[in-house]
Amino acid sequence: KQEVTQIPAALSVPEGENLVLNCSFTDSAIYNLQWFRQDPGKGLTSLLLIQSSQREQTSGRLNASLDKSSGRSTLYIAASQPGDSATYLCAVETSGSRLTFGEGTQLTVNP
Amino acid sequence: EAGVTQSPTHLIKTRGQQVTLRCSPISGHTSVYWYQQALGLGLQFLLWYDEGEERNRGNFPPRFSGRQFPNYSSELNVNALELEDSALYLCASSLEAGATSTDTQYFGPGTRLTVL
């Protein structure tokens, strides 16, 4: 059974800092890994999708890496802003188009 | 282009009742997914529909069921509601599904169900 773990569970940083969120998964037989953002009480917004054959993806201030063999991914956020405050979720897609999510990292960026 | 829409946004029911949640995918998307986000349990995969057929199911009892219509919209039905069914129910859609998919799942805003 696939399990996804995210560390840390919560993170509070001052504005402007660079930060790294971590995600690990137990079964390397994945099709892709995705990072999502969820604002309180809202749905999910897709940030980055990394196919299993890829090593990283970048979008603006965000960079996600994938090491499938070790079952790890990181999300790097550069020059954090208060608007980045949200819960960040990591999810892996396995057979049957099933997404398995981590518990998330709650990020607070203080002005 | 309109995103994934869900209705209703909020719902309050009592134990034992039945509920139907609705989802309209992004135009052109044929796959619809349902997830449950209960407090303390994280996001759990419920169901996947593609081209009108149920393709995969998460670890939920049979009282959770659904269907997908010819226009690719979908309903999630929950019978005999229990207190622990209180959760945010999220619907997602994608252009294609399976091992060759390069398309992410796009999520709707969710339906908040409270069971009293």
Side-chain angles (χ1 to χ4, degrees):
Chain A
K1 179 189 171 188
Q2 179 73 266
E3 293 183 1
V4 180
T5 304
Q6 290 188 244
I7 294 173
L11 185 61
S12 182
V13 300
E15 181 177 3
E17 270 205 6
N18 302 323
L19 55 100
V20 175
L21 308 181
N22 297 289
C23 171
S24 62
F25 47 96
T26 54
D27 186 349
S28 61
I30 64 169
Y31 296 139
N32 60 56
L33 182 143
Q34 300 178 56
W35 283 93
F36 293 90
R37 168 189 173 136
Q38 186 174 31
D39 293 284
K42 302 289 181 62
L44 276 62
T45 300
S46 177
L47 298 172
L48 290 164
L49 181 151
I50 311 176
Q51 294 295 328
S52 61
S53 58
Q54 297 175 323
R55 298 283 295 185
E56 67 176 333
Q57 282 286 339
T58 298
S59 176
R61 295 182 294 108
L62 305 179
N63 176 276
S65 67
L66 173 63
D67 185 341
K68 193 176 142 182
S69 60
S70 68
R72 296 182 182 184
S73 175
T74 60
L75 178 67
Y76 175 82
I77 302 177
S80 59
Q81 302 171 357
D84 295 331
S85 298
T87 296
Y88 290 79
L89 293 159
C90 165
V92 294
E93 183 172 349
T94 55
S95 61
S97 286
R98 173 192 297 239
L99 284 180
T100 302
F101 285 85
E103 293 288 326
T105 294
Q106 188 172 350
L107 173 64
T108 302
V109 181
N110 301 300
Chain B
E1 179 183 300
V4 177
T5 59
Q6 293 186 243
S7 63
T9 54
H10 294 85
L11 206 50
I12 299 175
K13 292 284 188 178
T14 57
R15 284 178 60 190
Q17 284 189 309
Q18 179 265 343
V19 69
T20 297
L21 310 182
R22 295 177 175 83
C23 172
S24 291
I26 292 172
S27 177
H29 286 191
T30 61
S31 278
V32 171
Y33 313 82
W34 287 95
Y35 293 86
Q36 181 198 65
Q37 189 174 32
L39 201 61
L41 291 178
L43 264 160
Q44 305 286 326
F45 169 79
L46 255 170
L47 290 160
W48 166 34
Y49 290 95
D50 183 58
E51 297 285 356
E53 300 285 332
E54 182 181 302
R55 303 294 185 183
N56 199 4
R57 182 183 182 86
N59 190 24
F60 282 84
R63 58 191 185 83
F64 286 82
S65 65
R67 54 180 174 167
Q68 186 179 33
F69 298 98
N71 67 354
Y72 303 112
S73 66
S74 176
E75 284 182 351
L76 173 68
N77 300 293
V78 187
N79 294 320
L81 284 167
E82 300 179 2
L83 296 179
E84 52 264 34
D85 297 334
S86 295
L88 179 67
Y89 288 84
L90 293 168
C91 172
S93 73
S94 70
L95 187 59
E96 59 177 308
T100 60
S101 173
T102 60
D103 195 46
T104 190
Q105 294 181 18
Y106 295 86
F107 282 77
T111 293
R112 171 86 49 195
L113 172 65
T114 302
V115 182
L116 302 176

